[in-house]
Amino acid sequence: MTTTVEHPALTPATLGGLALRNRYAVAPMSRVSARPDGTPTGEMADYYAEFARGGFGLVFSEGTYPDSAASQGYLNQPGLARDEHVAGWRVVTAGVRAAGGRMIAQLMHAGAIAQGHPNTVGPSAVQPRGEKMRAYGGSGPWPVPRELTTAEIDDVVDGFAAAAVRARQAGFDGVEVHAANGYLLDQFLTDYTNHRTDSHGGSVANRIRLTAQVVTAVAEAVPELVTGVRLSQTKVNDFTYRWPGGRADAEVIFAAVAEAGAQYLHIASEGRNWLETAKLADGGTITALARQVTGLPVIANGGMHDLAQAHEVLTGGHADLLSIGHGALANPDLPARVAAAEPLAEFDRAMVSPTVTVANARRWRESRQA
């Protein structure tokens, strides 16, 4: 008699009120493949639907800008700022749903590390570390951003809420507030980019305030959708940063977003292995701490295509779902492969070189097939 042991990632899950066929999610990955006006294309619809056809229970959109003022991070980045954007995304979400998947829109305000337009803003007039990313069409140092006024901060919150309504109109099942990876909300949370002396600066409780305000505004704008938040310590322009207060800071941050109305937390690793960025000084993990503090589902990210690590994360109390980036690009049918005990293909960086576009990845696949 042969007994098959099912990987825990293949078991059903619930995220907020959203029923998922398994615990595998496609991580949000910027592909800068929209039309110049931010409208998603048919090529993008095919790209996202392929993951759902491959068995992923949940698909996150790439970071999508919520307003036309200063939130856009990259040229050819998709938006949810206008009616045309809604119509384009509606085709994408319909394709994912038809293939049995669910889709969440990630809303992202780039703030000081926007390289798609000259109007950069931030919590303070502090030049970001590092340089613009060539793979996303940028080069050279970041400019010094203009410090947001209190009234403009309110506009940012309103922009996220309005975009969440458009996400509902576009057929998304949920909205994720992007407060990670060095973008605007994370800039408010980070001590060295936030020098404010008002209610949004100073203590960690003040620095997480804007993220909490945005989460509340989104949750109230679209109560029928799942509302989540993505957090990270590392950034696209600073891989070494950690919250200075360690566990104490993390507890304040997690409690604040949960109280604000988040229904799940998504902890990003910024291209690093989960354990590298998740391990705390006392030996615990930041993802397990997020579960303990909030009682909410937590999504872990970073090397989750590794079956042994994924098993440990799910069975060891570290997280409830797994989001996969590079592993999903190399294996858009990863859940189906795991279910069939088939080997996984290795990620080839040529898929995202010299740019990260969907067209570049398609050309890579065609060259391999040839």
Side-chain angles (χ1 to χ4, degrees):
M1 180 177 178
T2 301
T3 302
T4 300
V5 178
E6 186 178 70
H7 195 284
L10 297 174
T11 60
T14 302
L15 198 65
L18 193 61
L20 304 173
R21 59 187 173 187
N22 56 45
R23 296 171 188 270
Y24 278 124
V26 179
M29 293 178 280
S30 293
R31 306 316 305 274
V32 291
S33 297
R35 296 192 181 98
D37 70 351
T39 302
T41 65
E43 184 178 49
M44 288 173 60
D46 293 339
Y47 161 77
Y48 281 111
E50 185 178 15
F51 294 117
R53 290 194 299 268
F56 279 94
L58 179 62
V59 178
F60 284 100
S61 82
E62 59 206 277
T64 302
Y65 63 88
D67 64 63
S68 300
S71 64
Q72 183 176 353
Y74 309 110
L75 296 175
N76 300 112
Q77 178 188 6
L80 267 169
R82 297 193 296 274
D83 290 343
E84 309 92 273
H85 299 160
V86 172
W89 277 118
R90 194 175 289 130
V91 178
V92 178
T93 61
V96 169
R97 184 172 294 108
R102 299 289 192 140
M103 192 165 187
I104 289 178
Q106 187 191 73
L107 298 181
M108 177 192 112
H109 192 307
I113 59 171
Q115 57 187 46
H117 63 82
N119 182 24
T120 59
V121 296
S124 303
V126 176
Q127 184 177 31
R129 295 180 178 179
E131 293 190 344
K132 297 178 182 179
M133 294 170 284
R134 292 186 181 276
Y136 297 89
S139 64
W142 309 96
V144 176
R146 179 177 58 78
E147 181 175 312
L148 286 166
T149 67
T150 300
E152 288 173 324
I153 290 175
D154 292 339
D155 290 340
V156 167
V157 176
D158 291 343
F160 272 92
V165 172
R166 295 188 194 96
R168 180 187 62 201
Q169 295 168 346
F172 284 99
D173 299 290
V175 173
E176 179 170 280
V177 173
H178 196 354
N181 304 127
Y183 297 108
L184 181 68
L185 302 187
D186 189 35
Q187 291 157 26
F188 270 80
L189 177 57
T190 299
D191 57 353
Y192 69 76
T193 53
N194 185 345
H195 295 174
R196 300 180 76 93
T197 57
D198 59 11
S199 62
H200 287 95
S203 68
V204 65
N206 281 354
R207 288 184 278 114
I208 193 62
R209 188 182 306 277
L210 178 56
T211 297
Q213 288 176 293
V214 170
V215 169
T216 297
V218 168
E220 291 178 350
V222 288
E224 65 274 47
L225 300 189
V226 175
T227 297
V229 61
R230 195 178 210 216
L231 298 161
S232 71
Q233 300 191 86
T234 54
K235 312 172 189 306
V236 295
N237 63 323
D238 185 352
F239 295 141
T240 63
Y241 183 76
R242 299 294 186 273
W243 293 331
R247 173 181 283 267
D249 277 9
E251 290 176 346
V252 172
I253 292 164
F254 296 151
V257 296
E259 184 178 353
Q263 293 170 282
Y264 72 84
L265 280 69
H266 186 178
I267 310 298
S269 293
E270 191 45 59
R272 270 55 187 165
N273 182 275
W274 162 78
L275 191 57
E276 180 183 340
T277 56
K279 194 169 184 178
L280 296 169
D282 60 9
T285 65
I286 200 165
T287 49
L289 179 62
R291 295 178 81 234
Q292 294 162 11
V293 169
T294 67
L296 297 171
V298 170
I299 305 174
N301 170 255
M304 292 303 152
H305 60 279
D306 182 297
L307 298 184
Q309 177 169 261
H311 192 285
E312 168 59 22
V313 167
L314 292 176
T315 61
H318 299 285
D320 303 276
L321 284 87
L322 315 168
S323 76
I324 300 178
H326 288 164
L329 291 180
N331 303 273
D333 59 346
L334 185 145
R337 288 184 179 228
V338 173
E342 295 178 357
L344 300 180
E346 291 189 12
F347 172 72
D348 184 347
R349 188 154 291 279
M351 295 181 71
V352 293
S353 299
T355 61
V356 299
T357 62
V358 173
N360 190 70
R362 175 176 47 77
R363 285 191 292 268
W364 177 89
R365 290 184 185 278
E366 291 172 350
S367 68
R368 293 292 294 265
Q369 292 169 356

